[in-house]
């Protein structure tokens, strides 16, 4: 191995990665490239507000549609309550007779005969276009419309599992690249989907792609940059989301056809081909896989010549030790044979190792539930995560129930989203995790419940109050994640956070059904349910201990010891 290709020692590689990750130009290039898919993610997640918007609809009457009657005249005759009445049922007139008459004659005819009753129709006419009119997703078929949004949330859940495994097994770049390719393919498939099920599967794939690019991208970012930049860039990493939300209404405003809108949101993903070509594999992951030569090639690619000379010097100082040890090892043929044997062994034991990891994870989960203190904490976290996600997505999709201008609603929500990422930072510095999350929950719940006292026609006021609730529930997201990670010992922390994240997906899966089905009964029901649930979450979080400025516990015993001390301190402070 020549001196220019010989990798330096482990310390040399780590130093090289740290040095590259500290260069501002490199940091911002990597940040912009990795975070850009967030715009596409929020587009496909929020596009449901425009793709699945409620459309005025009424039962189709082919006999009358073949005449010169207007849609208002047809609805007046056929709908039980007239134009403003129930659009899911149709009056059982003999429409063959009515079609032979003029509109005035038909009105005179039905006024002189007995009312024939009504029945639920199975085909409708619409004003406007969207997935609702494309596949008749109204009345008893409304849950199918909610399922369109549910598939995206389900895809995000599945994507976190699948691409997380791929990233750890075959590399961060490969997982990120597969997610990008899925984005590029699934978007146009959704735009030209000939059937409802094809559209749902395409939306599922978009959700998986969004989860893959977000999670793998964040992992790449943290492994590329130095520690001192991770906090700031970790917050800014979410900023493409509000940016995308503010751009989406502008696109939807000028593209009314739902298929063209879906296509317009999908075509820009072609730029992700550049990401696949430009982004390198994580050198830290390569080192963890004992692929130092590949990691060194990446370091050389992005290092300056002066840095390379210093690193090569460091490598020359450390590698003689490795060379002096080489003769004591087995010869090259034997090593090659050993590698082959190890490869075969790895393949044969892969399922056994997976089984052992699964059993270990289940044991850790059972260990949490076996301890009363940890069980209480975990159940509260489960409820808080689920309610937070349910409320967040319900407010994101609830434009039709809050205001007549969904374009303004989504744009304002994007601006509020940006503020919500920054709001918890000063709050957690002044107070603790528990106080911050409780305040945010209570303010959000109170705002959402106060909507009940606002007259329905004051849409601007309703939207403003709803945005206060959205601001607080968006801000509490980052707090509850940090708080959960600090509430559990090191041996159970990953299990607690992972299962809590699963509960949050249950909340996001339920959101479209709450908005569409319950919102159809009364416009204020979704916000009322969310407000009440958020208030309960805030009260439950009060039962959790404060974790600010406290050392993270490593074992269950340390957790129990600290909990006992806190209870004694609380009793000593009690005046009675």
């Amino acid at each position: 191995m020549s001196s220019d290709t010989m990798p330096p020692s482990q310390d040399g590689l780590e130093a090289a990665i740290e040095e590259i990750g500290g260069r501002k130009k490199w940091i911002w290039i990597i940040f912009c490239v990795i975070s850009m898919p967030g715009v596409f993610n929020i587009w496909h997640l929020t596009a449901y507000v425009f793709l699945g918007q409620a459309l005025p609809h009424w039962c189709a009457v082919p006999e009358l549609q073949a005449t010169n009657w207007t849609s208002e005249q047809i609805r007046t005759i056929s709908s039980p309550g007239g134009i403003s009445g129930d659009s899911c049922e149709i009056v059982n007139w003999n429409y063959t007779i009515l079609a032979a008459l003029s509109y005035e004659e038909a009105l005179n005819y039905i006024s002189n005969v007995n009312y024939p009753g009504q029945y639920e129709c199975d085909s409708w006419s619409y004003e406007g276009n969207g997935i609702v009119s494309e596949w008749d997703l109204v009345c008893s078929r409304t849950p199918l419309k909610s399922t369109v949004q549910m598939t995206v949330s389900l895809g995000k859940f599945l994507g976190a599992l699948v691409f997380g495994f791929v990233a750890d097994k075959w590399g961060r770049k490969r997982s990120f690249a597969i997610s990008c390719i899925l984005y590029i393919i699934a978007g146009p498939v959704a735009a030209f989907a000939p059937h409802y099920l094809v559209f749902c599967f395409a939306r599922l794939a978009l959700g998986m792609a969004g989860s893959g690019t977000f999670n793998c991208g964040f992992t790449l970012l943290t492994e590329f940059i130095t520690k001192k930049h991770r906090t700031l860039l970790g917050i800014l990493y979410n900023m493409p989301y509000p940016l995308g939300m503010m751009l989406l209404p502008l696109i939807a405003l000028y593209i009314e056809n739902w298929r063209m809108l879906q296509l317009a949101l999908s075509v820009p993903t072609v730029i992700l081909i550049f990401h696949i070509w430009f982004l390198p594999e994580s050198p830290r992951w390569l080192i963890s896989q004992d692929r130092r030569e590949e990691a060194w090639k990446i370091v050389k690619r992005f290092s300056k010549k002066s840095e390379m000379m210093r690193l090569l010097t460091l490598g020359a100082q450390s590698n003689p030790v490795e060379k002096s040890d080489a003769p004591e090892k087995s010869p090259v043929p034997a090593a090659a044979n050993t590698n082959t044997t190890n490869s075969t062994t790895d393949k044969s034991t892969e399922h056994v190792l997976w089984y052992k990891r699964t059993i270990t994870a289940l044991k850790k989960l059972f260990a949490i539930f076996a301890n009363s203190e940890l069980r209480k904490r975990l159940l509260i976290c489960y409820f808080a995560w689920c309610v937070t996600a349910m409320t967040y997505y319900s407010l994101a999709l609830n434009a039709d129930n809050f205001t007549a201008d969904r374009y303004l609603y989504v744009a304002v929500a994007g601006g509020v989203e940006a503020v919500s990422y920054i709001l918890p930072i000063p709050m957690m510095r002044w107070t603790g995790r528990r106080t911050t999350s409780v305040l945010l929950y209570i303010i959000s719940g109170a705002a959402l419940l106060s909507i009940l006292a606002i007259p329905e026609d004051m849409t601007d006021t309703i939207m403003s109050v709803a945005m206060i609730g959205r601001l607080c529930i968006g801000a509490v997201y980052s707090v509850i994640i940090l708080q959960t990670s600090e509430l559990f010992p090191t041996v159970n922390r990953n299990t607690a956070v992972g299962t809590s994240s699963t509960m949050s997906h249950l909340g996001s899966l339920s959101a479209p059904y709450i908005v569409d089905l319950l919102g159809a009964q009364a416009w204020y029901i979704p916000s009322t349910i969310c407000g009440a649930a958020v208030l309960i979450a805030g009260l439950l979080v009060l039962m959790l201990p404060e974790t600010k400025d406290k050392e993270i516990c490593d074992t269950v015993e340390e957790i129990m010891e600290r909990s006992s001390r806190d209870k004694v301190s609380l009793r000593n402070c009690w005046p009675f």
Side-chain angles (χ1 to χ4, degrees):
M1 186 180 291
S2 61
S3 62
D4 61 334
T5 59
M6 178 178 59
S9 65
Q10 182 88 3
D11 293 338
L13 274 173
E14 292 285 350
I17 296 169
E18 284 291 317
E19 191 155 0
I20 295 173
R23 298 210 310 261
K24 290 186 178 180
K25 182 178 180 181
W26 160 257
I27 290 173
W28 288 109
I29 291 175
I30 285 293
F31 172 78
C32 292
V33 171
I34 290 178
S35 63
M36 183 185 295
V39 174
F40 308 135
N41 195 353
I42 196 63
W43 278 356
H44 292 296
L45 194 63
T46 314
Y48 176 78
V49 174
F50 303 103
L51 301 177
Q53 60 180 293
L55 299 175
H57 60 277
W58 59 93
C59 295
V61 187
E63 295 88 348
L64 298 184
Q65 289 172 345
T67 66
N68 293 324
W69 287 26
T70 65
S71 60
E72 289 78 10
Q73 291 173 339
I74 294 175
R75 295 176 70 180
T76 301
I77 292 288
S78 62
S79 296
I83 293 179
S84 60
D86 187 2
S87 299
C88 293
E89 293 187 337
I90 184 172
V91 181
N92 192 21
W93 300 115
N94 186 333
Y95 291 102
T96 302
I97 295 177
L98 296 181
L101 305 175
S102 66
Y103 174 66
E104 290 74 15
E105 292 171 337
L107 287 176
N108 183 57
Y109 172 80
I110 63 176
S111 63
N112 295 318
V113 298
N114 294 327
Y115 187 75
Q118 58 200 52
Y119 63 93
E120 187 174 349
C121 56
D122 55 7
S123 61
W124 295 264
S125 298
Y126 303 88
E127 287 183 9
N129 78 91
I131 61 172
V132 168
S133 59
E134 185 74 23
W135 292 297
D136 286 334
L137 307 181
V138 293
C139 300
S140 61
R141 293 170 59 85
T142 300
L144 295 178
K145 185 184 83 164
S146 305
T147 302
V148 168
Q149 180 65 14
M150 184 274 291
T151 54
V152 179
S153 298
L154 180 61
K156 289 174 70 65
F157 171 67
L158 295 176
L161 295 177
V162 173
F163 290 113
F165 173 78
V166 172
D168 289 337
K169 181 71 177 177
W170 291 289
R172 282 65 163 117
K173 179 179 180 178
R174 183 170 298 182
S175 181
F176 189 86
I178 295 173
S179 302
C180 290
I181 293 172
L182 195 58
Y183 248 145
I184 295 171
I185 296 174
V189 169
F192 297 109
H195 304 292
Y196 171 79
L197 286 178
V198 176
F199 183 71
C200 286
F201 277 114
R203 295 272 291 174
L204 180 76
L206 286 170
M208 293 183 66
S211 185
T213 54
F214 180 87
N215 295 333
C216 297
F218 188 79
T219 302
L220 274 171
L221 184 66
T222 55
E223 292 178 347
F224 273 132
I225 62 179
T226 55
K227 294 179 181 179
K228 67 178 182 179
H229 296 105
R230 285 174 191 165
T231 301
L232 174 62
L233 294 183
I235 297 172
L236 295 179
Y237 184 71
N238 293 304
M239 284 304 173
Y241 280 74
L243 176 62
M245 289 189 70
M246 288 184 280
L247 289 175
L248 177 61
L250 296 177
I251 300 172
L253 186 63
Y254 292 101
I255 304 178
E256 296 183 358
N257 183 276
W258 77 268
R259 290 189 182 273
M260 292 298 101
L261 175 59
Q262 176 64 45
L263 188 62
L265 300 179
S266 304
V267 169
T269 58
V270 175
I271 197 175
L272 295 178
I273 294 175
F274 167 77
H275 294 59
I276 299 172
W277 171 81
F278 174 78
L279 274 181
E281 182 56 88
S282 168
R284 297 184 188 276
W285 179 82
L286 290 171
I287 293 173
S288 71
Q289 302 296 309
D290 199 25
R291 294 159 61 178
R292 289 175 50 201
E293 289 80 5
E294 296 176 54
W296 176 236
K297 289 179 181 178
I298 294 173
V299 170
K300 288 195 302 178
R301 176 182 169 189
F302 297 101
S303 294
K304 298 177 181 178
K305 288 186 178 181
S306 57
E307 294 173 358
M308 281 184 59
M309 292 302 296
R310 183 179 61 80
L311 293 169
L312 284 171
T313 303
L314 181 59
Q317 293 173 352
S318 58
N319 279 331
V321 177
E322 298 174 3
K323 288 182 179 181
S324 64
D325 291 337
E328 299 178 7
K329 297 180 181 179
S330 57
V332 174
N337 184 51
T338 302
N339 289 338
T340 305
T341 304
N342 288 340
S343 177
T344 305
T345 304
D346 289 342
K347 291 180 181 179
S348 64
T349 59
E350 183 176 338
H351 295 293
V352 176
L353 292 175
W354 177 86
Y355 175 77
K356 288 182 177 180
R357 286 195 296 267
T358 304
I359 294 298
T360 302
L362 290 175
K363 286 182 178 179
K364 289 181 178 180
L365 182 61
F366 291 147
I368 295 177
F369 278 99
N371 184 283
S372 59
E373 177 64 24
L374 295 184
R375 181 171 63 248
K376 180 193 74 174
R377 296 184 183 188
L378 189 62
L379 291 177
I380 292 175
C381 289
Y382 281 175
F383 184 80
W385 281 63
C386 182
V387 165
T388 301
M390 178 189 74
T391 305
Y392 176 86
Y393 286 103
S394 293
L395 293 177
L397 305 176
N398 207 28
D400 287 332
N401 291 328
F402 282 152
T403 178
D405 192 344
R406 62 178 59 87
Y407 302 96
L408 177 63
Y409 183 88
V410 174
V412 172
V416 169
E417 182 98 351
V419 178
S420 70
Y421 294 145
I422 303 172
L423 179 62
I425 299 175
M427 290 186 69
M428 283 192 290
R429 287 183 178 178
W430 297 332
T431 62
R433 282 77 158 115
R434 181 179 62 183
T435 305
T436 299
S437 57
V438 168
L439 282 175
L440 291 172
Y441 275 129
I442 290 178
I443 295 173
S444 178
L448 295 177
L449 290 178
S450 68
I451 292 176
L452 287 169
I454 304 174
E456 184 178 356
D457 58 344
M458 297 178 64
T459 56
D460 291 341
T461 304
I462 292 174
M463 187 181 73
S464 300
V465 175
M467 286 299 109
I468 295 175
R470 179 178 170 82
L471 171 66
C472 294
I473 207 64
V476 83
Y477 241 125
S478 57
V479 182
I480 196 67
I481 293 173
L482 177 62
Q483 188 177 16
T484 302
S485 66
E486 294 176 343
L487 282 170
F488 296 89
T490 302
V491 293
N492 303 110
R493 184 172 299 115
N494 189 65
T495 301
V497 175
T499 53
S500 297
S501 178
T502 301
M503 295 303 296
S504 75
H505 286 293
L506 292 180
S508 62
L509 289 173
S510 66
Y513 297 100
I514 292 174
V515 171
D516 292 335
L517 302 185
L518 298 181
Q521 303 301 316
W523 67 272
Y524 53 81
I525 291 181
S527 57
T528 303
I529 290 176
C530 292
V534 164
L535 277 181
I536 295 173
L539 295 176
L540 289 175
V541 171
L542 272 175
M543 301 171 62
L544 297 175
E546 179 56 67
T547 58
K548 182 187 178 185
D549 298 330
K550 293 184 179 181
E551 291 292 332
I552 294 176
C553 295
D554 292 323
T555 64
V556 177
E557 289 73 19
E558 293 178 20
I559 288 283
M560 297 307 298
E561 183 180 350
R562 178 179 295 176
S563 178
S564 299
R565 290 200 305 267
D566 292 343
K567 289 178 181 178
V568 171
S569 300
L570 184 62
R571 284 197 298 267
N572 292 337
C573 292
W574 190 251
F576 304 104

